[in-house]
Amino acid sequence: MSDSPHPPPPEGFAEFVAARSGALLRSAWLLTGDAGRAEDLLQTVLAVAWRRWPGIVHGGHPEAYLRRALFTTYASWWRRRWRGEVPAATTPETWGTGDVAGESADRDAVRRALARLSRQQRAIVVLRYVEDLSVERTAQVLGCSVNTVKVQSSRALRSLRADPDLRLFTDREVVP
């Protein structure tokens, strides 16, 4: 009998998490706009996936399943409000180094602009333009119609184009 109070991870789960959690965390951060909440969101989804892993793998597309769970969990979080600790404003370390101040300001501008969108619009923007999903696949992931994705995407892009924080990007001089 094992001395550990926790059962071992399901077969392949730890390897999948090691390989794909960075990409899933970036999507969660874009949705929540906060590193701590992004980690909470991903952890919540992974905890559910742990229990269902054999069935998820049997379905043949574990990452697709987890991405859908990530977006649907995020969309349902409006019903409950987090009243716990608030982590320091950080971003995933996997985004590298360079002009740290400029990149940080750019990320903050994008985060603020995304935060002004509705939850559905934010999820659609992340799925369509960050995850590069088709309109049809985005509708499938979010459980809505293709027309809803098109309309909400159009409205979100109009809002982002008019956003004062993002206008700075279009006003910059392009350096080859």
Side-chain angles (χ1 to χ4, degrees), residues 8-150:
E11 185 178 335
F13 183 79
E15 294 81 6
F16 177 85
V17 170
R20 301 305 304 154
S21 64
L24 293 169
L25 181 60
R26 282 188 292 279
S27 293
W29 187 85
L30 287 167
L31 288 170
T32 63
D34 179 88
R37 286 192 179 107
E39 290 171 356
D40 289 345
L41 176 60
L42 181 57
Q43 185 176 27
T44 299
V45 169
L46 290 176
V48 171
W50 170 287
R51 293 187 302 270
R52 300 178 181 168
W53 190 248
I56 293 169
V57 171
H58 182 71
H61 301 288
E63 186 166 356
Y65 178 91
L66 288 177
R67 285 195 182 279
R68 180 178 173 111
L70 190 72
F71 287 98
T72 56
T73 301
Y74 164 76
S76 70
W77 273 12
W78 68 269
R79 293 185 194 109
R80 62 184 169 115
R81 193 176 207 169
W82 177 253
R83 299 189 196 284
E85 64 194 63
V86 177
T90 60
T91 59
E93 297 82 8
T94 58
W95 290 354
T97 60
D99 177 11
V100 177
E103 290 174 6
S104 179
D106 291 348
R107 281 193 302 272
D108 189 54
V110 170
R111 182 194 57 76
R112 285 192 315 265
L114 287 172
R116 286 189 273 275
L117 298 176
S118 71
R119 286 181 173 272
Q120 185 177 37
Q121 287 175 345
R122 191 179 323 170
I124 288 170
V125 166
V126 171
L127 286 169
R128 289 279 295 127
Y129 304 106
V130 177
E131 300 296 327
D132 200 27
L133 296 184
S134 67
V135 172
E136 294 78 14
R137 183 69 182 122
T138 300
Q140 184 182 19
V141 167
L142 295 177
C144 63
S145 73
V146 168
N147 285 338
T148 298
V149 171
K150 290 178 180 179

